[in-house]
């Protein structure tokens, strides 16, 4: 609620005290999709269309007017404004959200703002916001600025690991598969043997020492799991993304929940909610996002567009494509 409510409180206080004509609030967000979505949410709370008293400005797109009093923008936008308008003339408040992320743009903005309020704009109000901020560090950076610690609520979370997911889905990492460890280890675990047949004929055969000894020499690290899971954990290359496993997990949770007896919802959650909500899958980059999107769309289980919306999300996508994630899911 801080991203929407804190700037809105400032605006409402100014309007109620008769200072609405002078107030001009800028609230920065580290990502474009956040700037747009928060601005739209606040405009809904104000019961007005975006672009009126509430607006946003991101790279190559903006919705604002001369009546805009609260503008959400990316960090890059306000840095570019500082180049043309070093004193931020007319701006009364700057709210820097998600300040804990410590991107170079945010750090540079904080340096610029500190210099500004110590020289030509001592009247400018700076508000730093974060759910995980180390208040003392930032307070000290701004010469002992006061800080507010507002208690919030936390949501229940259950953590499961690779071995848990392999066990729950029954997914097996086969030797020699794309997701299994390769290279020197595989080569060192094979040997060439001369085998003599019944007729005395000899032929060469390559055998896997790993297969020969696995039934007796399996690590005890995952002794509480099935043998298939233990063998898969010894073979798995954790640097390789296993798209098939991701699909199996989604299938178990969304399509076959009756066979899931180990991946449980956090305490206090509604068991019926899992089929009505959304699933977020975090991946390293756009290439992996595209690969999984294509895999799921081609899947017989998840290719049904009337039931599933598979939505890629990345900062390189257009604002229009990013907004798809905020649309209400199909009933």
């Amino acid at each position: 609620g801080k991203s929407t409510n804190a700037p809105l409180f400032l605006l409402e206080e100014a309007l109620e005290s008769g200072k609405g004509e002078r107030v001009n609030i800028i609230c920065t967000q580290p990502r474009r999709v956040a700037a747009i979505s928060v601005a739209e949410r606040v405009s809904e709370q104000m019961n007005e269309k975006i672009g009126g008293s509430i607006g946003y400005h991101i790279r190559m797109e903006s919705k604002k007017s001369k009546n805009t009093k609260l503008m959400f923008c990316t960090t890059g936008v306000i840095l570019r404004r500082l180049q043309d308008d070093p004193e931020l003339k007319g701006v009364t408040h700057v709210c820097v959200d998600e300040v804990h992320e410590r991107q170079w743009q945010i750090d540079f903005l904080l340096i610029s703002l500190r210099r500004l309020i110590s020289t030509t704009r001592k009247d400018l109000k700076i508000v730093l916001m974060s759910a995980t901020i180390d208040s003392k560090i930032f307070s000290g950076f701004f010469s002992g600025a006061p800080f507010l610690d507002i208690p919030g609520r936390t949501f229940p979370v259950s953590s499961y690991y690779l071995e848990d997911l392999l066990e729950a889905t029954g997914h097996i990492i086969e030797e020699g598969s794309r997701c299994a460890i390769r290279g020197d280890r595989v080569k060192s675990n094979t040997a060439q043997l001369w085998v003599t047949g019944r007729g005395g004929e000899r032929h060469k055969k390559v055998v896997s020492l790993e297969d020969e000894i696995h039934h007796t020499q399996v690590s005890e690290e995952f002794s509480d799991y099935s043998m298939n899971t233990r063998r898969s954990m010894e073979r798995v290359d954790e640097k390789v993304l296993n798209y098939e496993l991701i699909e199996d997990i989604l299938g178990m949770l969304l399509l076959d929940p009756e066979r899931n007896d180990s991946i449980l919802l956090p305490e206090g959650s509604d068991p019926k909610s899992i089929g009505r909500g959304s699933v977020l899958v975090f991946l390293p980059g756009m290439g992996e996002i595209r690969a999984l999107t294509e895999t799921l769309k081609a899947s017989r289980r998840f290719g049904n567009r009337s039931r599933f919306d598979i939505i890629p999300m990345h900062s390189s996508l257009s604002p229009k494509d990013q907004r798809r994630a905020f649309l209400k899911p199909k009933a």
Side-chain angles (χ1 to χ4, degrees):
K2 63 175 175 53
S3 299
T4 55
N5 289 324
L8 187 55
F9 290 160
L10 295 174
L11 177 60
E12 290 177 339
E13 193 277 334
L15 295 173
E16 291 173 358
S17 61
K19 301 177 182 177
E21 290 296 323
R22 297 195 301 272
V23 71
N24 187 350
I25 305 167
I26 293 178
C27 183
T28 71
Q29 296 290 332
R31 283 166 287 278
R32 292 182 297 166
V33 65
I36 296 173
S37 61
V38 174
E40 291 177 342
R41 175 67 181 273
V42 173
S43 65
E44 288 179 7
Q45 289 182 237
M46 294 288 286
N47 196 27
E48 62 176 59
K49 292 183 178 180
I50 191 74
S53 62
I54 312 297
Y56 69 82
H57 188 181
I58 63 174
R59 181 170 57 91
M60 301 181 67
E61 182 181 345
S62 67
K63 282 192 176 181
K64 58 181 180 177
S65 66
K66 62 180 181 179
N67 298 319
T68 299
K69 301 295 182 182
L70 171 55
M71 184 184 73
F72 294 87
C73 68
T74 53
T75 312
V77 167
I78 191 172
L79 287 176
R80 284 193 294 273
R81 175 165 177 174
L82 280 165
Q83 286 181 309
D84 300 328
D85 179 16
E87 295 186 0
L88 294 179
K89 294 177 182 177
V91 177
T92 58
H93 301 74
V94 176
C95 301
V96 184
D97 199 8
E98 308 299 353
V99 72
H100 66 275
E101 292 197 9
R102 300 301 304 276
Q103 300 172 352
W104 71 265
Q105 289 184 327
I106 293 178
D107 282 358
F108 194 81
L109 176 60
L110 295 182
I111 294 170
S112 302
L113 292 175
R114 184 177 69 168
R115 182 178 301 172
L116 192 57
I117 62 175
S118 65
T119 54
T120 58
R121 286 300 312 275
K122 296 184 178 181
D123 60 317
L124 182 64
K125 306 298 182 184
I126 309 297
V127 181
L128 309 181
M129 303 188 298
S130 170
T132 58
I133 189 175
D134 187 339
S135 305
K136 294 181 180 179
I137 292 178
F138 289 93
S139 174
F141 183 76
F142 281 92
S143 304
F147 60 87
L148 296 175
D149 186 8
I150 302 173
R153 60 173 179 166
T154 58
F155 293 90
V157 175
S158 296
S159 298
Y160 294 96
Y161 301 91
L162 178 58
E163 57 269 25
D164 301 314
L165 300 176
L166 291 172
E167 184 82 0
T169 60
H171 186 92
I172 298 175
I173 308 296
E174 299 285 357
E175 182 184 358
S177 73
R178 182 182 65 86
C179 300
I181 294 176
R182 300 185 180 187
D184 295 338
R185 173 177 168 180
V186 173
K187 293 178 180 178
S188 64
N189 286 340
T190 60
Q192 293 183 350
L193 301 177
W194 286 98
V195 179
T196 303
R198 291 183 179 179
E201 297 179 356
R202 300 179 68 204
H203 63 277
K204 188 182 294 185
K205 181 179 180 181
V206 178
V207 297
S208 170
L209 300 180
E210 188 173 344
D211 283 345
E212 299 299 324
I213 64 175
H214 247 200
H215 66 284
T216 58
Q217 294 186 16
V218 178
S219 171
E220 294 297 322
E221 183 178 359
F222 304 102
S223 58
D224 293 335
Y225 296 85
S226 67
M227 186 59 67
N228 283 335
T229 297
R230 293 167 66 184
R231 288 177 177 171
S232 292
M233 287 302 296
E234 289 197 347
R235 296 173 183 150
V236 66
D237 186 348
E238 296 187 23
K239 296 179 181 179
V240 178
L241 269 175
N242 191 334
Y243 299 107
E244 293 79 11
L245 175 58
I246 295 175
E247 184 177 346
D248 285 347
I249 296 168
L250 295 175
M252 180 188 67
L253 294 176
L254 302 177
L255 299 176
D256 303 309
E258 63 278 355
R259 71 182 181 91
N260 171 32
D261 57 2
S262 55
I263 306 300
L264 305 178
L265 290 173
E267 186 177 351
S269 302
D270 180 7
K272 298 180 180 179
S273 66
I274 194 167
R276 302 195 304 264
S278 301
V279 178
L280 301 180
V281 181
F282 290 89
L283 297 166
M286 193 62 204
E288 292 80 3
I289 292 173
R290 283 180 178 149
L292 181 59
T293 299
E294 293 171 1
T295 298
L296 294 178
K297 285 184 176 180
S299 167
R300 287 185 294 177
R301 293 189 288 179
F302 295 99
N304 184 353
R305 295 187 179 183
S306 64
R307 184 172 182 185
F308 296 104
D309 280 333
I310 302 169
I311 303 173
M313 276 287 290
H314 193 267
S315 60
S316 64
L317 296 174
S318 69
K320 180 180 179 181
D321 289 335
Q322 292 186 32
R323 285 195 191 97
R324 291 180 58 204
F326 297 94
L327 299 176
K328 290 184 179 179
K330 297 174 183 178

